[in-house]
Amino acid sequence: MHATVVDPIHRRRFLAAAAGSAALTLLPVAGRAAAPARDDPRWIPSDAFLATLPEWMRAFGVPGVAIAVVEQGELAWHRGFGVADLESGAPVDADSVFECASLSKPVFAYLVLQLVDAGALQLDRPLVDYHRPDFLADDDPQLARITVRDVLRHSSGLPDWRAYPDSDPLRTVATPGQRVNYSGEAFFWLQRVVETVTGQSLDQLARQRLFVPAGMQASTYTWNAHAARHSVVGVPAPGARPGVQTFGAQWPLLQPLAEARGKPLSDWTWDDAVQALPQAQAAAPAGMFVWPGDLLANAAASLRSPVQDYARFIAHVMRRPARQDWEIAEATRQAMLAPQLAVRPGWLDKGLGWNLERVDAGNRWFFHGGSNAGRYKTFAVGDPQHGRGLVVMTNGGGGTGVYQRIVRAATGRDMLAFDL
């Protein structure tokens, strides 16, 4: 894989620049057509639409797309289109690993709810009761009010990302628990809490509790040999200024350090990152690694996954006739998809880790979008009442226009979220 760093930049700054589509600000496409009528209730895109997909990909400057469909609560269909890497010409296939961007958050929310079911965490207990990291501001009493629930429904009152985490303490920008305030920082703090209560790194926990039992073995929050071989390479939207390749540029620089330490990146905890930071700074362009958080998995943004792995995950967000012991309890699953805070009353709400859109009086779809570094655009949506789901991953900064058309063609619905 070829990962070229252009104009080195700190990870938190490009995460802040890429956060838009993740928070119910999914950009509309000018002059879009109404959603087509659908005779087939399944969400597998029609052959007629798929024949037009390469044209839309060219129009929006998207080299590669992967689509997966869940039907009756199971992975039913998946396909790749275009190329994973413009330089090599490698096609998008079943092994292609995409940056999931903010689709990382619902997966982490599921892990947190597993710990709630196990009694290791409580939804309405303050995070400071579990772990108070040293990067919190000392003069902000509101930090002590932020609960696990606040993080998962984005009511923590914390900013999305600090531009300078090495020098700026984390403090609230709004009163916790009152309104939606989208925050990656809150997810990273909760990640530190999870590490404290389990003694495991994020990726260790995810492999044990979700990736292996759900058949998501090719997924990782960090970097490994499979990700190095199969990760797609993103491109900016047409006319956009090239930036860094986000995690794809940074993880390979950390891999030799992990090998020298005899501990894979997937097992690194905060203490490992603290110890390795000086070597990482010496090995990287200036400004790439400025604090230990830059060396770790990131619950808010760093998940890498093939599209069918993510579809297997959302299948476990549906009601299942025979729940396995490792899955969240049915009552917990219902709570995950229950409205927590209104975004647009009567239409859009925050759940626990998911956004919710009302489609009729008795049903809400869950969904989330993602954007990393202006190069990777992703979207997932599920209809829990009918056990249907759709995941679209792209390696182009113009991918929003592509995935919106795929969602319309597959579901027959023009989502309100696309207008916010």
Side-chain angles (χ1 to χ4, degrees):
M1 301 301 296
H2 302 277
T4 302
V5 177
V6 180
D7 190 17
I9 185 172
H10 178 254
R11 178 183 293 179
R12 287 303 177 93
R13 272 171 272 165
F14 68 62
L15 284 172
S21 76
L24 282 183
T25 51
L26 304 167
L27 300 179
V29 177
R32 70 173 190 265
R38 291 275 294 173
D39 295 326
D40 188 344
R42 298 176 304 167
W43 284 0
I44 298 173
S46 69
D47 290 341
F49 171 78
L50 293 178
T52 70
L53 183 56
E55 179 182 354
W56 289 119
M57 292 167 61
R58 287 192 295 273
F60 287 96
V62 175
V65 173
I67 310 171
V69 174
V70 172
E71 179 66 27
Q72 296 183 344
E74 301 291 342
L75 176 66
W77 181 91
H78 63 91
R79 279 186 61 181
F81 305 84
V83 297
D85 181 353
L86 283 175
E87 185 170 334
S88 71
V92 174
D93 58 24
D95 289 324
S96 296
V97 176
F98 284 79
E99 288 197 21
C100 298
S102 282
L103 291 189
S104 305
K105 293 180 176 74
V107 173
F108 180 63
Y110 194 95
L111 296 170
V112 169
L113 292 175
Q114 287 176 316
L115 296 175
V116 170
D117 280 349
L121 293 174
Q122 297 176 30
L123 276 174
D124 295 310
R125 187 171 176 181
L127 269 62
V128 293
D129 288 357
Y130 298 104
H131 178 68
R132 184 184 177 96
D134 58 9
F135 53 77
L136 298 186
D138 293 329
D139 58 349
D140 185 353
Q142 292 197 123
L143 292 167
R145 298 176 53 184
I146 299 170
T147 66
V148 174
R149 186 188 303 274
D150 285 326
V151 175
L152 299 186
R153 68 182 185 178
H154 288 285
S155 60
S156 69
L158 294 173
D160 192 9
W161 296 109
R162 291 167 292 159
Y164 302 99
D166 54 323
S167 59
D168 295 341
L170 180 60
R171 62 179 69 250
T172 55
V173 294
T175 302
Q178 300 299 306
R179 61 177 176 83
V180 173
N181 204 83
Y182 193 81
S183 177
E185 291 280 5
F187 271 70
F188 190 76
W189 179 6
L190 183 53
Q191 176 183 333
R192 293 292 315 279
V193 166
V194 166
E195 180 183 305
T196 298
V197 301
T198 66
Q200 295 177 292
S201 71
L202 172 58
D203 219 52
Q204 285 175 321
L205 181 76
R207 289 199 310 269
Q208 175 190 336
R209 289 184 172 266
L210 181 60
F211 294 165
V212 172
M216 300 170 61
Q217 286 90 338
S219 297
T220 177
Y221 271 100
T222 54
W223 189 254
N224 54 37
H226 185 273
R229 287 194 303 272
H230 298 290
S231 284
V232 304
V233 177
V235 302
R241 178 176 177 269
V244 298
Q245 275 285 4
T246 59
F247 301 102
Q250 296 168 317
W251 292 126
L253 296 175
L254 298 175
Q255 187 64 32
L257 302 182
E259 292 171 356
R261 293 171 62 84
K263 189 173 187 178
L265 286 170
S266 60
D267 294 351
W268 279 24
T269 63
W270 179 264
D271 289 342
D272 294 307
V274 169
Q275 295 171 17
L277 181 60
Q279 297 100 312
Q281 291 174 326
M288 180 172 282
F289 302 117
V290 302
W291 83 311
D294 292 335
L295 280 62
L296 288 178
N298 188 309
S302 73
L303 179 67
R304 311 176 80 84
S305 182
V307 71
Q308 66 272 19
D309 269 19
Y310 205 91
R312 291 186 179 101
F313 162 63
I314 66 169
H316 288 279
V317 181
M318 313 286 186
R319 183 187 299 274
R320 301 177 65 79
R323 191 184 65 82
Q324 301 177 63
D325 289 343
W326 64 267
E327 296 181 80
I328 58 176
E330 174 58 20
T332 306
R333 186 196 69 82
Q334 292 181 27
M336 189 180 201
L337 303 182
Q340 299 285 320
L341 282 176
V343 177
R344 180 170 291 184
W347 287 96
L348 292 169
D349 299 273
K350 285 290 185 183
L352 297 177
W354 290 103
N355 303 306
L356 307 174
E357 179 166 330
R358 183 180 64 82
V359 295
D360 57 47
N363 192 22
R364 288 180 175 87
W365 288 3
F366 61 87
F367 70 95
H368 212 290
S371 174
N372 266 8
R375 293 174 181 263
Y376 305 92
K377 297 298 177 75
T378 59
F379 191 78
V381 58
D383 175 354
Q385 187 174 92
H386 299 97
R388 296 191 182 103
L390 177 70
V391 185
V392 184
M393 297 185 178
T394 80
N395 62 342
T400 300
V402 174
Y403 75 57
Q404 288 185 346
R405 281 167 167 78
I406 293 171
V407 170
R408 285 188 213 101
T411 68
R413 181 174 177 83
D414 206 11
M415 294 187 69
L416 176 63
F418 291 165
D419 278 324
L420 298 183

